[in-house]
């Protein structure tokens, strides 16, 4: 871990963050839900079990946690039960070799040609499934970008351009995925449609706030009740429709007119032999962070398990809450949150939602005179915040002074969406490398009463 000048508070915030990430360890999560009983594979935990003596098992894993998840599965499933070597598709930073697994590194947050080739390999495998087979899908966040499989007539470049416009617009992950589903052969129940001849079961590590299975990796194994019309409306509402590639416009318009089949909806026969288990989530990581804060001697308060909205506005809300609490602060307090904020790009700078949230909080704390000793961490559980090498940042009472000492105006940098160099100048960036998991973001605010 690389972070700013060490202090007890900063080290404690980092330890609490690590506890949250550890709670979403993909290998542990898979191991809790996958067991071997004689010649049967048992999927599930507690009383919610599915088992069978399937003729062949097709092992597929995709998302930022793909390698870690498939590593756990391959330790449990005998090689002789597999139809062929498994397939794992993950971002480049998380690529590791796994025995008897074909591993693909692909692009994130924007899809790339390697991802398209990986998707074609996966579809070729799905074309071989038969009755009495099991397709075991290990799904984690990031799968939407890592597994691009555009519909006929839409190129990968068209899809990348559309994704870039949506990412910069401030659209939510639900809205972005609605559009992606209607441009994909795999998303929005497409995987279930392609595996309808066999049994399909998905073990899912959630990176979305409400654990909506239709949103995680754009819901390849579950019904999609969104429509072509909704995808069109999203692009219109964020005023990006004029810039959308013509091929995408044509496909969505034709879909609205009923010229293309909708994504499979609830009740579609393709879901008759499909099962799911949610094996890890941001909410569980937040609970672990709360427990870690208490173990570190802090009173702990849960601010939100569904933190969302524009990053700088969320920072303002959190700061105002902290100011109110600090007036009667008698003992060290940890305020914990989890979720995923958004950033509307208005500038040309470098950063990510967690860096923007951290810098905005430091500015808000000065503006509203947060009158206590404080330390604030905001970071992505996957170890990467936007298109940067940082997971996020840790800021404190002196962060703005360190930034200004480097002749940098913090407010100007925030307005330019340029948090990275400002935080770098303060030595406040949190760099931990790829963690191998992905359950959205964690925020930890530590408050200490003044001496």
């Amino acid at each position: 871990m690389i972070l700013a000048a060490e202090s007890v508070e900063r080290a404690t915030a980092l330890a609490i963050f690590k506890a949250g990430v550890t709670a979403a360890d993909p290998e542990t999560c898979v191991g809790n839900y996958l067991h071997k009983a004689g010649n049967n594979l048992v999927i599930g935990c507690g009383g919610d079990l599915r088992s069978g003596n399937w003729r062949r098992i097709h092992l597929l894993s995709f998302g930022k946690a793909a390698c870690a998840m498939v590593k756990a599965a391959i330790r449990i499933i005998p090689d002789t039960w597999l139809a062929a070597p498994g397939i794992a598709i993950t971002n480049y930073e998380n690529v590791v070799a796994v025995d008897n697994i074909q591993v693909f590194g692909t692009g994130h947050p924007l899809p790339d040609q390697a991802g398209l080739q990986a998707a074609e390999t996966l579809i070729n495998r799905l074309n071989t499934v038969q009755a009495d087979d099991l397709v075991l899908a290990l799904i984690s966040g990031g799968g939407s970008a890592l597994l691009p499989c555009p519909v006929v007539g839409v190129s990968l470049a068209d899809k990348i351009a559309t994704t870039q416009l949506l990412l910069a617009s401030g659209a939510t992950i639900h809205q972005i995925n609605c559009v992606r589903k209607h441009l994909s052969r795999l998303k929005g129940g497409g995987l279930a449609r392609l595996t309808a001849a066999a049994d399909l079961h998905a073990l899912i590590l959630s990176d979305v706030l409400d654990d909506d299975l239709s949103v995680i990796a754009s819901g390849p194994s579950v019904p999609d009740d969104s429509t072509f019309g909704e995808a069109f409306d999203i692009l219109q509402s964020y005023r990006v429709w004029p810039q959308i590639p013509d091929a995408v416009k044509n496909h969505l318009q034709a879909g609205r007119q009923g010229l293309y089949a909708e994504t499979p909806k609830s009740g579609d026969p393709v879901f008759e032999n499909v099962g799911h288990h949610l094996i890890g989530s941001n909410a569980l990581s937040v609970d672990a962070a709360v427990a870690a804060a208490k173990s570190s001697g802090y009173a702990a308060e849960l601010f939100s398990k569904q933190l969302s909205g524009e990053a700088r506005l969320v920072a303002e809300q959190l700061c105002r809450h902290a100011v109110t609490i600090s007036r009667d602060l008698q003992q060290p307090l940890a305020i914990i949150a989890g979720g995923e904020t958004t950033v509307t790009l208005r500038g040309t700078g470098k950063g990510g939602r967690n860096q923007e949230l951290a810098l905005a909080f430091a500015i808000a704390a000065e503006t509203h005179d947060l009158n206590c000793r404080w330390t604030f961490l905001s970071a992505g559980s996957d170890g990467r915040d936007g298109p940067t090498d940082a997971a996020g940042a840790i800021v404190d009472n002196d962060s703005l002074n360190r930034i200004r000492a480097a002749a940098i105006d913090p407010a100007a940098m925030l307005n330019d969406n340029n948090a990275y160099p400002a935080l770098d100048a303060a030595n406040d960036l949190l760099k931990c490398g790829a963690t191998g998991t992905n359950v959205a973001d964690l925020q930890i605010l530590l408050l200490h009463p003044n001496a």
Side-chain angles (χ1 to χ4, degrees):
M1 292 276 183
I2 303 174
L3 64 156
E6 287 289 348
S7 71
V8 173
E9 292 85 0
R10 296 169 82 88
T12 300
L14 181 58
I16 294 170
F17 172 70
K18 286 181 178 179
V21 172
T22 299
D25 176 70
E27 293 188 48
T28 300
C29 292
V30 170
N32 290 338
Y33 281 81
L34 206 58
H35 312 279
K36 180 175 172 286
N39 291 322
N40 285 351
L41 181 67
V42 181
I43 309 170
C45 187
D48 184 15
L49 302 175
R50 181 182 190 181
S51 65
N53 184 8
W54 288 280
R55 185 173 64 92
R56 302 184 306 172
I57 296 175
H58 302 265
L59 183 57
L60 313 175
S61 187
F62 49 91
K64 291 185 178 180
C67 287
M69 292 178 80
V70 82
K71 187 185 295 184
I74 210 72
R75 285 200 295 263
I76 297 164
I77 302 172
D79 291 348
T80 55
W81 292 11
L82 297 178
I87 295 172
I89 301 167
T90 194
N91 54 319
Y92 296 110
E93 296 89 340
N94 281 319
V95 168
V96 295
V98 183
D99 290 343
N100 208 21
I101 300 295
Q102 188 176 7
V103 178
F104 294 87
T106 70
H108 188 280
L110 295 175
D112 62 9
Q113 190 64 35
L116 181 60
Q117 293 171 351
E120 294 293 349
T121 299
L122 186 144
I123 285 180
N124 289 337
R125 172 68 60 81
L126 297 179
N127 288 335
T128 70
V129 303
Q130 302 174 24
D132 299 326
D133 285 358
L134 170 68
V135 177
L136 181 61
L138 311 176
I139 301 173
S140 55
S144 295
L146 296 168
L147 196 63
C149 194
V151 294
V152 175
V154 173
S155 70
L156 180 62
D158 293 332
K159 196 167 183 183
I160 290 173
T162 302
T163 302
Q164 284 178 312
L165 287 165
L166 284 167
L167 287 170
S169 73
T172 68
I173 188 64
H174 291 71
Q175 293 168 325
I176 293 171
N177 284 353
C178 172
V179 176
R180 284 167 161 168
K181 291 174 187 179
H182 288 87
L183 300 175
S184 173
R185 288 179 282 163
L186 281 171
K187 298 174 175 62
L191 178 66
R193 182 178 271 163
L194 290 169
T195 60
D199 289 344
L200 169 64
H201 202 97
L203 297 181
I204 301 173
L205 192 65
S206 172
D207 67 331
V208 301
L209 308 192
D210 53 6
D211 297 332
D212 184 345
L213 301 187
S214 70
V215 177
I216 304 163
S218 296
S221 63
V222 298
D224 173 44
D225 293 325
S226 70
T227 65
F228 277 106
E230 288 173 321
F232 170 81
D233 290 343
I234 288 166
L235 295 172
Q236 288 276 17
S237 67
Y238 284 95
R239 300 180 181 178
V240 296
W241 179 261
Q243 297 105 281
I244 294 296
D246 288 341
V248 172
K249 289 181 179 177
N250 293 339
H251 182 78
L252 294 180
Q253 292 280 33
R256 291 175 73 210
Q257 297 166 14
L259 300 179
Y260 292 126
E262 262 290 359
T263 49
K265 310 302 180 192
S266 299
D268 192 300
V270 301
F271 298 109
E272 287 181 2
N273 298 315
V274 177
H276 308 88
H277 280 97
L278 182 69
I279 64 173
S281 69
N282 181 260
L284 295 175
S285 288
V286 169
D287 289 342
V290 168
K294 291 179 179 178
S295 295
S296 298
Y298 286 78
E301 175 190 291
L302 175 63
F303 182 74
S304 175
K305 283 189 175 182
Q306 297 193 358
L307 201 67
S308 63
E310 190 74 23
R312 63 185 68 185
L313 297 180
V314 171
E316 180 79 14
Q317 293 163 4
L318 180 58
C319 181
R320 287 180 180 274
H321 179 69
V323 168
T324 300
I325 288 176
S326 66
R327 292 172 185 152
D328 299 312
L329 193 64
Q330 301 296 319
Q331 63 176 320
L333 173 67
I335 301 174
I336 309 295
E340 187 169 294
T341 59
T342 56
V343 172
T344 301
L345 292 177
R346 299 181 179 89
T348 59
K350 178 180 179 181
R353 60 181 180 263
N354 288 290
Q355 294 161 62
E356 181 141 332
L357 179 56
L359 180 58
F361 183 89
I363 292 172
E366 180 180 74
T367 301
H368 297 294
D369 190 22
L370 179 52
N371 189 25
C372 66
R373 196 166 80 251
W374 60 266
T375 302
F376 178 59
L377 178 153
S378 183
S381 61
D382 61 350
R384 181 173 179 179
D385 185 34
T388 75
D389 59 352
I394 306 181
V395 291
D396 58 33
N397 300 72
D398 294 321
S399 289
L400 296 188
N401 291 334
R402 292 193 293 270
I403 293 171
R404 290 174 181 136
I408 295 173
D409 181 348
M413 298 298 268
L414 180 63
N415 289 335
D416 194 33
N417 300 118
N418 205 17
Y420 184 99
L423 294 164
D424 193 27
N427 200 24
D428 282 354
L429 292 172
L430 170 56
K431 299 181 181 180
C432 58
T435 64
T437 192
N438 183 27
V439 289
D441 304 333
L442 292 169
Q443 287 77 33
I444 298 136
L445 174 60
L446 303 182
L447 304 178
H448 286 257
N450 289 320

